[in-house]
Amino acid sequence: MAIVYKCRHCSQEIGKLDQQMVDSSMLGLDQLSSEDKRDMISYEANGDITIKSICESCEESLGSHPQYHELDYFIQ
């Protein structure tokens, strides 16, 4: 089982933790609301957990172009 962090905008893999057991509170997932958990966390068929976040490039783009916040996806 791995925990994979991917950018919600460009789908680039940001990081990966290869762990057999992970406490969700260690990752801060217990701090998320139920709605945020549904939006950000997905469980894959192979047992991996994917967490949607934002990469540095997309964060820079959003900082330079605040109107992109209105869009679900701004990378075409």
Side-chain angles (χ1 to χ4, degrees):
M1 175 184 97
I3 299 172
V4 182
Y5 287 84
K6 286 191 175 182
C7 180
R8 69 172 51 254
H9 300 288
C10 68
S11 298
Q12 175 182 341
E13 187 176 302
I14 300 168
K16 185 175 187 177
L17 300 171
D18 289 312
Q19 299 288 335
Q20 292 301 317
M21 296 266 313
V22 175
D23 184 2
S24 63
S25 64
M26 289 175 52
L27 300 175
L29 301 179
D30 60 328
Q31 301 295 313
L32 298 174
S33 69
S34 297
E35 184 179 335
D36 286 340
K37 286 179 184 177
R38 278 192 305 274
D39 290 344
M40 296 177 66
I41 302 170
S42 60
Y43 299 89
E44 310 303 329
N46 66 355
D48 288 354
I49 299 171
T50 300
I51 300 175
K52 294 179 189 168
S53 187
I54 185 169
C55 69
E56 289 181 16
S57 296
C58 290
E59 185 175 22
E60 278 184 30
S61 293
L62 286 168
S64 299
H65 306 281
Q67 69 275 16
Y68 288 173
H69 284 280
E70 298 171 5
L71 308 172
D72 288 332
Y73 300 98
F74 60 88
I75 304 293
Q76 300 296 323

